[in-house]
Amino acid sequence: MVTRLDIVVIGGGAMGSATAWQLATRGREVTLLEQFAPGHTNGASHGTTRNLNLGYADPTYVGMLAESLMLWETLGAQSGSEQITRTGTVNHGDPVSQADTLAALTAVGIRAEELSAAEATERWNGIRFATPALHMPDGGQLNPDLALPSFQRVATEHGATIRHGVRVVEMTVLGENQVHMVLETPSGTEILEARSVVVTAGAWTSYLIPDSVRLPQLRVTQEQPLHFAPRDAQTGWPGFNHNIVPGSPGFENAYSPVYGMLTPGEGIKAGWHGTGAQTHPDQRSFASEPKQLHALRDYARVWLPGVNADIFTEISCTYTNTPDEDFILDRIGPITMGAGFSGHGFKFTPTIGRILADLATGSGPAPAKFSAGRRAIDPTALSAGSRSAHGPF
Ligand SMILES: Cc1cc2nc3c(=O)[nH]c(=O)nc-3n(C[C@H](O)[C@H](O)[C@H](O)COP(=O)(O)OP(=O)(O)OC[C@H]3O[C@@H](n4cnc5c(N)ncnc54)[C@H](O)[C@@H]3O)c2cc1C
């Protein structure tokens, strides 16, 4: 027997949960399907901290940041759980892009200020600053283990159906408003059809989408940040991003820019960005690559005097990378795609949910920058040595 539904969202990570939230609060009939149990750690949206780094200059991202700051508050009010921890964020290492960011944020009314290296060190003596820094007091941290249940709870309160332990194993486009799906459920195989399907399957995207949907190449990597033990529990920590050029003087062993923040109860998180080994989401090792791990400890010994680089715990998580590190937010026939968040999507989650809900209901386009048909070119390939397109994240 075939069950016919209005809108089905595949993937209950950050982006799928936010899309279901947006659709349900608009009164749409929506079903969210997630293959694993709530709180699983197999994808990209687990753990208690993500950087709400406002360090962008690109107008599309800056506009989405301004909207996300409001929508995180909306979710906070609807769920009764404050979503943002306002520690502020501080970026250093690249005065040129910091100046661009300052101008872009000021233009939309997001606060930012330049500090000298000495002023920044005075404020945050757990971090070493050798160049001027950009401080963004409205930045801070988000908490996936709080946000995902909040999105899903509010969506359910507005009529959404959320099913965990259900894996979509086959998807076929039968017509402009008809998608056929085969599901593996705890009680056996099930057949569903839906008028509109949103695919937010993270690292599994390339293995699920029908051939009719062409996307820029997606490369899944296993990322391995660390939590270091703080030397002094009283030290104050903002979110931090150190924009460095791997191989440049003083950074001979560096793999990429470094991001980090305080994770209450776990330590000071620090990580390379997008340098993990390529992997298949169902065949992961969950083990850190030793050379990168030791290089990160070497980095911490020099640039994070507030941590003990010899006491740490390992984290494992997946990035789904596009060549240009820009997202894919697009609709192809009855399939709406949200993929390729390239390690910097979490801060934008509620806005991505809004855009995907607009696409799925035909009530609005996505920024052209995120089209699935774009020629996605790796910016670092264009000018050797330049940093990642934005952030680190
Ligand atoms: C180590 C690390 C640090 C990060 N730090 C930051 C940060 O500081 N700031 C920031 O903004 N971003 C950060 N990010 C990025 C951010 O976490 C991701 O962009 C975001 O979580 C991606 O969410 P998603 O919903 O696309 O993916 P996921 O959370 O992986 O969700 C996809 C879901 O789809 C489900 N699924 C897949 N296939 C199927 C199927 N066939 N049937 C049913 N279910 C299916 C999966 O089980 C999974 O739950 C970080 C990411 C990592 C890995």
Side-chain angles (χ1 to χ4, degrees):
M1 195 211 43
V2 177
T3 307
R4 286 190 171 73
L5 298 171
D6 182 16
I7 308 176
V8 167
V9 177
I10 304 176
M15 306 312 168
S17 302
T19 305
W21 166 67
Q22 278 281 328
L23 289 165
T25 50
R26 295 178 195 192
R28 298 301 297 248
E29 176 220 292
V30 57
T31 299
L32 175 65
L33 305 174
E34 166 52 48
Q35 63 184 338
F36 298 122
H40 76 86
T41 60
N42 302 314
S45 303
H46 57 273
T48 58
T49 50
R50 292 290 186 278
N51 230 344
L52 175 54
N53 168 32
L54 308 175
Y56 290 74
D58 176 293
T60 303
Y61 285 113
V62 170
M64 289 171 71
L65 277 174
E67 181 180 351
S68 298
L69 287 172
M70 290 189 300
L71 289 179
W72 281 117
E73 295 298 342
T74 303
L75 177 66
Q78 291 172 338
S79 67
S81 309
E82 177 59 45
Q83 301 290 322
I84 302 176
T85 304
R86 299 260 184 203
T87 61
T89 43
V90 64
N91 294 9
H92 62 123
D94 182 359
V96 175
S97 78
Q98 285 159 214
D100 296 342
T101 299
L102 177 62
L105 295 181
T106 307
V108 296
I110 295 177
R111 296 181 298 159
E113 60 176 340
E114 277 189 328
L115 301 171
S116 68
E119 287 168 328
T121 304
E122 172 102 15
R123 284 201 204 182
W124 304 289
N125 59 13
I127 304 170
R128 177 175 164 219
F129 296 92
T131 58
L134 183 68
H135 175 221
M136 294 152 284
D138 298 322
Q141 273 86 58
L142 297 156
N143 175 348
D145 290 354
L146 172 71
L148 270 64
S150 299
F151 283 126
Q152 295 184 10
R153 189 171 65 250
V154 176
T156 307
E157 286 163 3
H158 287 78
T161 302
I162 300 190
R163 299 177 63 188
H164 284 94
V166 172
R167 182 177 176 121
V168 178
V169 291
E170 199 186 303
M171 190 162 65
T172 316
V173 174
L174 300 182
E176 194 45 38
N177 296 309
Q178 194 182 8
V179 182
H180 180 90
M181 287 162 281
V182 180
L183 279 51
E184 251 172 33
T185 80
S187 49
T189 301
E190 207 180 295
I191 308 296
L192 271 187
E193 284 191 4
R195 196 187 54 71
S196 173
V197 171
V198 179
V199 177
T200 44
W204 290 264
T205 300
S206 306
Y207 308 99
L208 178 66
I209 53 171
D211 295 344
S212 57
V213 176
R214 319 280 318 146
L215 298 180
Q217 191 222 352
L218 294 176
R219 198 172 54 83
V220 176
T221 54
Q222 178 171 277
E223 300 296 321
Q224 50 178 78
L226 299 174
H227 276 130
F228 290 106
R231 289 192 183 284
D232 175 352
Q234 304 315 308
T235 299
W237 291 87
F240 57 87
N241 299 279
H242 192 187
N243 248 320
I244 53 179
V245 177
S248 62
F251 300 107
E252 288 76 9
N253 299 338
Y255 280 74
S256 75
V258 171
Y259 69 93
M261 67 213 85
L262 164 67
T263 301
E266 296 184 65
I268 309 304
K269 185 193 271 188
W272 304 120
H273 174 57
T275 60
Q278 193 154 356
T279 187
H280 182 292
D282 294 326
Q283 294 145 19
R284 291 187 39 210
S285 68
F286 293 90
S288 297
E289 188 279 319
K291 272 184 71 193
Q292 286 201 31
L293 186 149
H294 292 302
L296 191 59
R297 293 174 60 198
D298 291 343
Y299 170 89
R301 282 195 189 90
V302 177
W303 292 94
L304 298 175
V307 311
N308 182 335
D310 301 324
I311 305 178
F312 58 87
T313 51
E314 297 169 42
I315 304 166
S316 186
C317 185
T318 58
Y319 280 16
T320 304
N321 306 284
T322 57
D324 55 14
E325 294 191 23
D326 287 321
F327 310 151
I328 298 169
L329 303 174
D330 205 346
R331 178 172 174 154
I332 299 114
I335 308 275
T336 294
M337 294 299 314
F341 298 104
S342 305
H344 68 113
F346 203 88
K347 61 184 78 64
F348 301 105
T349 298
T351 301
I352 289 167
R354 192 271 300 160
I355 293 171
L356 294 175
D358 285 352
L359 287 168
T361 55
S363 55
K369 179 184 192 67
F370 302 131
S371 77
R374 70 178 187 268
R375 271 189 75 228
I377 299 168
D378 176 350
T380 58
L382 296 176
S383 51
S386 73
R387 297 185 178 81
S388 97
H390 36 66
F393 52 70

